[in-house]
């Protein structure tokens, strides 16, 4: 396992993510690959654009779980805030956080991919 401590300041703990995946770095990489293939990000953006807050809540809930599984807890925590806001129909809260959440999620996933050599 590599040294991923540089990402801790960004709220990304890859070592915990690997442990969440049974301690197997190869399985961790598979989870990242599946995350990218499933394109839950696209579902989130589509539901945001259509202001379908019920579907948004489902999409962001799924992203929250995967982000936390991967060790991106900081972004996962924002996903949780978005999930609860969308479940309550708090569109203003969702709209105020959505763009930065998507950018932060993309950045976290890019950092993780680079760190593990994907």
């Amino acid at each position: 396992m590599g040294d991923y401590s540089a990402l801790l300041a960004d709220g990304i703990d890859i070592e915990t993510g690997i442990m969440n995946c049974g301690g197997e770095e190869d399985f961790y990489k598979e989870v990242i690959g599946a995350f990218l293939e499933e394109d839950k990000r696209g579902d989130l953006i589509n539901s945001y654009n259509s202001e379908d807050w019920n579907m948004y809540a489902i999409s962001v809930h799924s992203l929250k779980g995967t982000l936390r599984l991967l060790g991106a807890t900081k972004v996962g925590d924002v996903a949780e805030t978005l999930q609860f806001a969308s479940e309550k129909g708090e569109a203003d809260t969702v709209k105020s956080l959505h763009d930065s959440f998507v950018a932060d999620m993309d950045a976290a996933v890019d950092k993780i991919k680079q760190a593990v050599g994907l």
Side-chain angles (χ1 to χ4, degrees):
M1 195 174 343
D3 178 15
Y4 305 115
S5 59
L7 294 176
L8 292 174
D10 295 326
I12 301 169
D13 186 347
I14 291 178
E15 290 180 10
T16 295
I18 292 170
M19 293 311 298
N20 291 341
C21 293
E24 299 291 329
E25 190 166 353
D26 288 339
F27 182 60
Y28 180 78
K29 290 178 181 180
E30 287 178 31
V31 171
I32 296 167
F35 173 77
L36 296 170
E37 285 177 24
E38 290 176 7
D39 193 26
K40 298 214 183 269
R41 179 190 183 281
D43 293 341
L44 181 81
I45 291 170
N46 289 336
S47 60
Y48 177 81
N49 289 337
S50 65
E51 296 190 10
D52 182 346
W53 304 128
N54 289 327
M55 184 55 70
Y56 189 92
I58 293 167
S59 297
V60 79
H61 171 77
S62 178
L63 288 167
K64 173 190 73 178
T66 303
L67 289 165
R68 287 180 171 168
L69 175 71
L70 294 174
T73 54
K74 183 177 176 183
V75 181
D77 290 347
V78 176
E80 181 175 64
T81 299
L82 283 165
Q83 176 191 342
F84 293 147
S86 57
E87 288 173 345
K88 294 176 185 175
E90 297 173 353
D92 290 342
T93 301
V94 174
K95 290 177 180 180
S96 72
L97 295 174
H98 173 80
D99 289 338
S100 61
F101 167 72
V102 172
D104 291 346
M105 176 180 58
D106 290 346
V109 171
D110 286 344
K111 289 175 184 178
I112 290 169
K113 285 176 18 187
Q114 184 178 15
V116 298
L118 289 179

